[in-house]
Amino acid sequence: MADLSITAIELVAPGTLKTNKAASEAFDVGDAMYLTGSNYALADATDTAKLSVVGIALFAGGSGDYPILAADGARLRLTGPTLTPGAMYYLSTTGHICPFADLTTGDSVIPLLVAESTSVVQVKIIVPTATITL
């Protein structure tokens, strides 16, 4: 998969932010995270137990750190990738995000971001009640 290479995120509009749990593993800026019950961990489109994304990490951190997650409604300026305005971006593997064309057979379809411009996205996480798998 050709994942987005996000090097920094600037918060344009906060929407919903979460930071109420520690991470159970290291995470990078731009990683999609889900709630394991007591901790945040990296979401993964290839593992049905890790699909319930709750937010996108604004900063990198390690296990035990409290990530700040941008959730639905947040607007973010991404440094690194050049986005296609109007395009949706989806959960990939180990917390990464990719365009739809880069999902592969067996991946679950979890929309995360919609591009407003070549660098600004709105977080729009859609976790379907029934898993949609390619």
Side-chain angles (χ1 to χ4, degrees), residues 98-134:
C98 70
F100 184 82
D102 291 323
L103 293 174
T104 61
T105 301
D107 289 346
S108 294
V109 180
I110 309 295
L112 302 177
L113 308 171
V114 61
E116 296 179 0
S117 70
T118 58
S119 62
V120 175
V121 296
Q122 184 174 54
V123 178
K124 186 60 183 161
I125 299 167
I126 303 170
V127 180
T129 53
T131 305
I132 302 168
T133 305
L134 296 177

Side-chain angles (χ1 to χ4, degrees), residues 1-132:
M1 288 187 202
D3 298 325
L4 299 182
S5 180
I6 301 169
T7 56
I9 294 178
E10 174 190 346
L11 191 61
V12 176
T16 302
L17 298 178
K18 299 179 180 202
T19 186
N20 57 338
K21 306 274 185 193
S24 62
E25 59 188 319
F27 56 94
D28 253 333
V29 60
D31 279 348
M33 301 187 83
Y34 78 105
L35 185 59
T36 65
S38 57
N39 297 97
Y40 291 121
L42 298 176
D44 193 321
T46 64
D47 186 338
T48 56
K50 299 179 178 183
L51 298 178
S52 295
V53 177
V54 294
I56 309 300
L58 297 180
F59 304 98
S63 178
D65 290 344
Y66 281 71
I68 299 173
L69 303 177
D72 273 356
R75 293 178 62 231
L76 312 172
R77 184 177 320 281
L78 308 182
T79 301
T82 300
L83 307 169
T84 302
M88 294 285 300
Y89 292 88
Y90 299 81
L91 177 62
S92 180
T93 57
T94 59
H96 298 142
I97 300 170
C98 70
F100 184 82
D102 291 323
L103 293 174
T104 61
T105 301
D107 289 346
S108 294
V109 180
I110 309 295
L112 302 177
L113 308 171
V114 61
E116 296 179 0
S117 70
T118 58
S119 62
V120 175
V121 296
Q122 184 174 54
V123 178
K124 186 60 183 161
I125 299 167
I126 303 170
V127 180
T129 53
T131 305
I132 302 168

